[in-house]
Amino acid sequence: MALSIDYTNMFLPGAVTDADWEFAAGRFRAAHAAVMARVARGDLGFVDLPEDAALLRQTTDFVQRAGDRWEDVVILGIGGSALGPIALRTALRPHAWNTLSREERGGKPRLTVLDNVDPETIDAVMSRLHLERALFVVISKSGGTAETMAQYLIIRAALDERFGDRAKEHLVFVTDPAKGSLRPIATKEGIAALDIPPNVGGRFSVLTPVGVLPAALIGIDAGQLLAGAADMRRRCAGDDLAGNPAGTFALLQWLADDRHGKHNHVLMPYADPLRDFAAWFVQLWAESLGKVRKDGTHVGPTPIAALGTTDQHAQVQLFMEGPADKTITFVEVAGRTALGPIPKLYADVPDLAYLGGHSLGELLDAERRATAGALARRGRPNMTITLDAVDAWHVGALIFLLELATAYAGALYDIDAFDQPGVELGKQFTYAILGRPGSDAARAEWDQLPKPDPRRRV
Amino acid sequence: MALSIDYTNMFLPGAVTDADWEFAAGRFRAAHAAVMARVARGDLGFVDLPEDAALLRQTTDFVQRAGDRWEDVVILGIGGSALGPIALRTALRPHAWNTLSREERGGKPRLTVLDNVDPETIDAVMSRLHLERALFVVISKSGGTAETMAQYLIIRAALDERFGDRAKEHLVFVTDPAKGSLRPIATKEGIAALDIPPNVGGRFSVLTPVGVLPAALIGIDAGQLLAGAADMRRRCAGDDLAGNPAGTFALLQWLADDRHGKHNHVLMPYADPLRDFAAWFVQLWAESLGKVRKDGTHVGPTPIAALGTTDQHAQVQLFMEGPADKTITFVEVAGRTALGPIPKLYADVPDLAYLGGHSLGELLDAERRATAGALARRGRPNMTITLDAVDAWHVGALIFLLELATAYAGALYDIDAFDQPGVELGKQFTYAILGRPGSDAARAEWDQLPKPDPRRRV
């Protein structure tokens, strides 16, 4: 079991230099100390999750009681309450899980994530569910998430109509242990509820029941997920960069952005199971680092999700020849060995003949190496994270690496990586439009915005 | 049936100005003339596709002959050969099409797209298919796409083993009418083959059989797709910006990037069916515009896919407070009316009570307006494309709008939007690694690249 980062290709003319790196070691020590100070103050609960056996037990007890009752698990959640579960399902369950038969799923349920309020999607999902065998996991730390609460109201009414007093058996909340709107409802109505620790924010919550409960329900080994995270935590305990993968990742990205104009940070796994993992990273990196500094400057790299080899035929042209404003982080998985060699057919057709005898895993690996090399050759910095396998342990380690890197990056950028004040105005405007009591101030601001200009329409 | 763009919010301090717009009208006329000259020379075949009845007939004839024989249609294709079909399936078929029963699908087949060479995915798909009832659509204009050809070799061997001489009945190629490696194979072996016109490149090919054949096989009205595109073509025939949506879109994006540093162009539909459409746009915009100019400068905006409301909880914090380097294009769909009002429950819980009585469609619309308004309030330029519905006609119109906008943008950026020279080096390195005959020069260049430095590993 191993996870490593090769960052040779970050040291290129126009990208990171040896002088940067020497200067940066001190910056990193300060960032590490700042993060550890917040951990010591109890601000950054995500760091303690890998060893929180009591929290894990909430999930394992719930899953054990559930037995094989559920055919469908449906998450009502958005943002950090959806991206983690989706990433875990894609990474750690067989391909296209929800299309498999119950037998192919080993008796485990499907997992559907309602991460939007498009009425047609919710209508379609509800009309197809076998409601007797469906469990709804309502995920919101505050209970104030408009989208999730709207879904809950619709589903709750449907459950009440069908099951009356037994509706609550089809519900479990994942929410703050004490605060917010969902916890009192759970307590009053006797609905099962698991905890999101108060000091863990949504986008850092995948290793709480937010991600762990859905994962465990569909048969993923939650203990291994946490074990991998715990291992990465240990590796990153010190402020010596040479032994700290999260620190190395954060520092390289920050240097590339802050000193060399690499404002776009691409994450590009070469493995289908990690297809949705990049979207989880996009939220983590974007929402944590896209901030206003105390001095009023706006900072934050723009994360971009990609997939190899697929995006070699979509985004790589831009990465190669567009503005030199990007870093690319590949994720490589060693030993993709399913299937044998590509058959040797068409010996007389040059476009096909050379492929025979190689395996698809070799092709995947060759294309990743070729792309990384070509980018380096054109002065485009990149690094490669290597996992021994896509399994719960390695995914847990990768999650923790990127979460801790985000915390370090927050300190390097000199912003708070753990809030999201920029989305407040949009929420207030939504309340104003919908006429929520108490939104008069937002309504007044809303009414002063420029109206659509008919001359600016085509 | 209508599609319009409201770009009021593009005219903000720090974004596009009235002076820009006046200056730009002349630039647009020149760009329009340049594009029309290339159309007249026969370079830009995508412009003629909406009215190519003969090409459409290739598809409709094939689909008619196929009848109800197929339970699964599997595309072997990558990049432009995959993103279009995926986008059409998600946009124009019911939610989660491949999870539906045959009856729910109205007797139409599932559509699986193999857009990568991950061996585990291909293994999983092949092991689950009922091969007797599976049609494989091999899409590559050149027949030189390594990933697609590797898939073809594997699937061809499996078909040969199972069906012997009848293997070819399970295959259809979509390829160049004369050139490339696939066409001669089709001719020699009697495999059905549909045309990608020689003057239509991969990322502009969704309205050829590349997108139209898979769409028609799963029951999408291909004629309506082309009719919508034809309508947009007519609207964009002139060089008066006031009547040309594609020109307006291209010019606004170019001005925002070139004059005001808005290097990132977000496409953010507020409709689940358009979830994968944004990924199609990402390829179109990235691969077309990410180029080296004749003077050696590197240009090209970075397109970013997002989805509302979902990404309000993931990327919008960055769009609001991060660097002022983005434009956001919303896609709104009028009249999302499925489901009735949100039930009025929990009158005593403020976070839930205000939602009751509104519909999900209202909530979706309120959130989009609120987000657009909040972005404008913070000086972040945005525009909104409004579709009357997500149906074949409107999707066809939107496709053509963005394709033509890409052609205009190529002229505005002064680059060739129709090639992709930047991916050649990676291809050559792949050939070198795999030992393809004739790759000696690439091998020599490859061997000179810096090797992984053990000091740069953690």
Side-chain angles (χ1 to χ4, degrees):
Chain A
M1 296 192 291
L3 183 160
S4 63
I5 308 177
D6 170 19
Y7 53 96
T8 307
N9 286 345
M10 292 297 287
F11 286 75
L12 297 174
V16 181
T17 67
D18 286 317
D20 288 334
W21 199 240
E22 283 182 35
F23 148 82
R27 280 300 293 257
F28 172 66
R29 281 192 296 275
H32 181 82
V35 169
M36 287 302 117
R38 289 191 73 175
V39 170
R41 284 203 303 274
D43 281 0
L44 308 187
F46 82 90
V47 172
D48 300 320
L49 295 172
E51 299 181 350
D52 191 337
L55 191 60
L56 176 60
R57 203 170 311 119
Q58 290 189 6
T59 286
T60 49
D61 286 354
F62 184 92
V63 173
Q64 197 175 12
R65 282 196 305 274
D68 60 359
R69 178 166 179 190
W70 309 118
E71 181 75 13
D72 280 284
V73 171
V74 181
I75 290 177
L76 317 186
I78 193 166
S81 305
L83 291 159
I86 293 169
L88 293 178
R89 179 190 62 194
T90 307
L92 300 172
R93 296 286 73 193
H95 176 72
W97 178 249
N98 286 352
T99 67
L100 301 184
S101 68
R102 184 173 176 83
E103 190 185 357
E104 289 168 318
R105 285 184 271 112
K108 302 295 179 189
R110 286 180 285 262
L111 177 64
T112 300
V113 182
L114 291 176
D115 65 351
N116 201 357
V117 288
D118 191 311
E120 290 182 20
T121 306
I122 294 172
D123 203 17
V125 168
M126 287 299 285
S127 71
R128 293 174 204 162
L129 280 176
H130 189 52
L131 215 53
E132 283 82 1
R133 305 218 52 204
L135 173 71
F136 296 88
V137 185
V138 185
I139 308 180
S140 174
K141 192 176 171 194
S142 66
T145 315
E147 296 87 349
T148 306
M149 293 305 102
Q151 293 169 344
Y152 171 63
L153 290 169
I154 288 168
I155 272 128
R156 181 60 196 261
L159 291 173
D160 285 348
E161 190 185 332
R162 180 71 161 273
F163 302 114
D165 288 346
R166 296 183 54 221
K168 66 186 180 190
E169 294 175 14
H170 293 263
L171 289 165
V172 55
F173 292 171
V174 180
T175 190
D176 191 279
K179 290 188 194 167
S181 296
L182 281 179
R183 179 63 59 172
I185 294 173
T187 305
K188 186 172 166 191
E189 304 188 10
I191 295 168
L194 278 58
D195 296 347
I196 307 174
N199 57 357
V200 178
R203 60 187 174 273
F204 291 86
S205 70
V206 60
L207 299 180
T208 73
V210 168
V212 168
L213 174 64
L217 282 166
I218 61 174
I220 292 168
D221 187 337
Q224 279 298 299
L225 206 55
L226 296 184
D231 185 74
M232 184 55 64
R233 182 190 172 176
R234 283 189 292 274
R235 286 180 68 183
C236 299
D239 68 358
D240 179 7
L241 270 178
N244 188 324
T248 300
F249 181 86
L251 194 63
L252 288 165
Q253 297 282 39
W254 173 72
L255 282 170
D257 178 11
D258 189 70
R259 305 222 140 192
H260 301 287
K262 313 299 183 193
H263 304 310
N264 296 293
H265 294 170
V266 179
L267 187 70
M268 187 166 179
Y270 272 65
D272 281 347
L274 297 175
R275 198 180 271 255
D276 292 324
F277 190 86
W280 170 83
F281 169 74
V282 163
Q283 185 212 18
L284 181 69
W285 207 241
E287 200 168 55
S288 299
L289 303 178
K291 296 284 161 70
V292 189
R293 276 207 193 104
K294 286 204 188 80
D295 67 4
T297 53
H298 297 268
V299 299
T302 297
I304 294 170
L307 178 73
T309 65
T310 308
D311 270 295
Q312 291 175 212
H313 299 264
Q315 300 194 72
V316 165
Q317 165 68 35
L318 174 68
F319 302 163
M320 286 286 290
E321 295 205 329
D325 61 0
K326 297 176 185 70
T327 68
I328 293 97
T329 301
F330 299 103
V331 184
E332 166 204 17
V333 181
R336 305 288 284 169
T337 50
L339 292 175
I342 298 167
K344 293 185 180 185
L345 301 171
Y346 300 105
D348 55 335
V349 183
D351 277 338
L352 281 74
Y354 73 100
L355 292 161
H358 297 289
S359 71
L360 286 183
E362 271 180 85
L363 177 59
L364 195 64
D365 188 58
E367 296 211 40
R368 180 191 53 74
R369 290 165 60 206
T371 303
L375 285 164
R377 185 87 175 90
R378 294 284 182 264
R380 307 304 167 107
N382 61 85
M383 56 183 149
T384 300
I385 300 174
T386 301
L387 314 181
D388 271 2
V390 182
D391 58 19
W393 192 94
H394 287 89
V395 169
L398 185 59
I399 284 170
F400 195 87
L401 186 164
L402 294 171
E403 288 182 340
L404 185 58
T406 304
Y408 289 142
L412 292 164
Y413 279 102
D414 194 21
I415 51 89
D416 186 349
F418 299 92
D419 62 1
Q420 50 283 331
V423 297
E424 190 56 30
L425 185 61
K427 281 188 194 172
Q428 292 299 325
F429 283 167
T430 300
Y431 295 155
I433 294 169
L434 295 179
R436 178 175 179 165
S439 61
D440 296 349
R443 181 80 223 182
E445 188 172 356
W446 173 256
D447 286 337
Q448 282 171 22
L449 291 183
K451 298 289 169 290
D453 180 345
R455 294 171 308 135
R456 309 287 193 209
R457 173 180 289 275
V458 64
Chain B
M1 295 193 289
L3 183 159
S4 63
I5 308 177
D6 169 19
Y7 52 96
T8 306
N9 286 345
M10 291 297 286
F11 286 75
L12 297 174
V16 181
T17 67
D18 285 318
D20 287 335
W21 200 240
E22 284 181 34
F23 148 83
R27 281 300 294 257
F28 173 66
R29 281 192 296 275
H32 181 81
V35 170
M36 287 302 118
R38 290 191 72 175
V39 171
R41 284 203 303 274
D43 281 0
L44 308 187
F46 81 90
V47 172
D48 299 321
L49 295 172
E51 299 180 348
D52 191 336
L55 191 60
L56 176 60
R57 202 169 313 117
Q58 289 189 5
T59 285
T60 50
D61 286 354
F62 184 91
V63 172
Q64 196 174 15
R65 282 196 306 274
D68 59 0
R69 178 165 180 190
W70 308 119
E71 180 75 13
D72 280 284
V73 171
V74 181
I75 290 177
L76 318 186
I78 194 166
S81 305
L83 290 159
I86 293 170
L88 293 178
R89 179 189 62 193
T90 306
L92 300 172
R93 296 286 72 193
H95 175 72
W97 179 251
N98 286 352
T99 67
L100 302 183
S101 67
R102 185 172 174 84
E103 191 185 356
E104 290 168 319
R105 285 184 271 111
K108 302 295 178 190
R110 286 179 285 261
L111 176 64
T112 299
V113 181
L114 291 176
D115 64 351
N116 202 357
V117 288
D118 191 310
E120 290 182 21
T121 306
I122 295 172
D123 203 17
V125 168
M126 288 299 286
S127 69
R128 294 174 204 163
L129 281 176
H130 189 53
L131 214 54
E132 284 83 0
R133 304 218 51 204
L135 172 71
F136 295 88
V137 185
V138 186
I139 308 180
S140 174
K141 192 176 171 195
S142 67
T145 314
E147 297 87 349
T148 306
M149 293 304 102
Q151 293 168 343
Y152 171 63
L153 290 170
I154 287 168
I155 272 126
R156 181 60 196 261
L159 292 172
D160 285 349
E161 190 186 330
R162 180 72 160 271
F163 303 113
D165 288 347
R166 297 182 54 222
K168 65 185 181 189
E169 293 176 13
H170 294 261
L171 288 165
V172 54
F173 293 172
V174 180
T175 190
D176 192 278
K179 290 188 195 167
S181 296
L182 282 178
R183 179 62 59 172
I185 293 173
T187 306
K188 187 171 166 191
E189 304 188 12
I191 296 168
L194 278 59
D195 295 349
I196 306 174
N199 57 357
V200 178
R203 59 187 175 273
F204 290 86
S205 69
V206 59
L207 298 179
T208 73
V210 168
V212 169
L213 174 63
L217 282 165
I218 60 174
I220 293 168
D221 186 337
Q224 278 298 299
L225 205 55
L226 296 185
D231 185 74
M232 184 56 63
R233 182 190 174 178
R234 283 188 292 275
R235 286 180 68 184
C236 299
D239 67 0
D240 179 7
L241 269 179
N244 188 323
T248 300
F249 180 86
L251 195 62
L252 288 166
Q253 296 282 38
W254 172 72
L255 282 170
D257 178 11
D258 189 70
R259 305 224 139 190
H260 301 286
K262 313 299 182 193
H263 303 311
N264 296 293
H265 294 169
V266 179
L267 187 70
M268 188 166 177
Y270 272 65
D272 282 346
L274 297 175
R275 198 181 271 258
D276 293 324
F277 190 86
W280 170 83
F281 169 73
V282 163
Q283 185 211 19
L284 181 70
W285 207 243
E287 200 168 55
S288 300
L289 304 178
K291 296 283 161 67
V292 189
R293 277 207 193 103
K294 285 202 190 82
D295 67 4
T297 53
H298 297 268
V299 300
T302 297
I304 293 171
L307 178 74
T309 65
T310 308
D311 269 296
Q312 291 176 212
H313 299 265
Q315 300 193 73
V316 165
Q317 164 67 35
L318 174 68
F319 303 163
M320 287 286 289
E321 295 205 329
D325 62 0
K326 297 175 184 71
T327 67
I328 293 95
T329 301
F330 299 103
V331 184
E332 166 203 17
V333 181
R336 304 289 285 170
T337 50
L339 291 175
I342 298 168
K344 294 186 180 183
L345 301 171
Y346 300 104
D348 55 336
V349 183
D351 277 338
L352 282 73
Y354 74 101
L355 293 162
H358 297 288
S359 72
L360 285 184
E362 271 180 85
L363 177 60
L364 195 65
D365 189 57
E367 296 211 38
R368 180 191 52 74
R369 290 164 61 208
T371 302
L375 286 163
R377 185 86 175 89
R378 294 284 183 264
R380 306 305 167 106
N382 60 86
M383 55 183 148
T384 299
I385 301 174
T386 301
L387 313 181
D388 271 2
V390 182
D391 59 19
W393 193 93
H394 286 90
V395 169
L398 186 58
I399 284 170
F400 195 87
L401 186 163
L402 294 171
E403 288 182 340
L404 185 58
T406 304
Y408 289 142
L412 292 164
Y413 280 103
D414 194 21
I415 51 88
D416 185 349
F418 299 91
D419 62 1
Q420 50 283 332
V423 297
E424 190 56 29
L425 185 61
K427 281 188 195 173
Q428 292 299 325
F429 282 167
T430 300
Y431 296 154
I433 294 169
L434 295 179
R436 180 176 177 164
S439 60
D440 296 349
R443 182 79 223 183
E445 188 172 357
W446 173 255
D447 286 337
Q448 283 171 23
L449 291 184
K451 298 290 169 286
D453 180 344
R455 293 171 309 133
R456 309 287 193 208
R457 173 179 289 275
V458 63

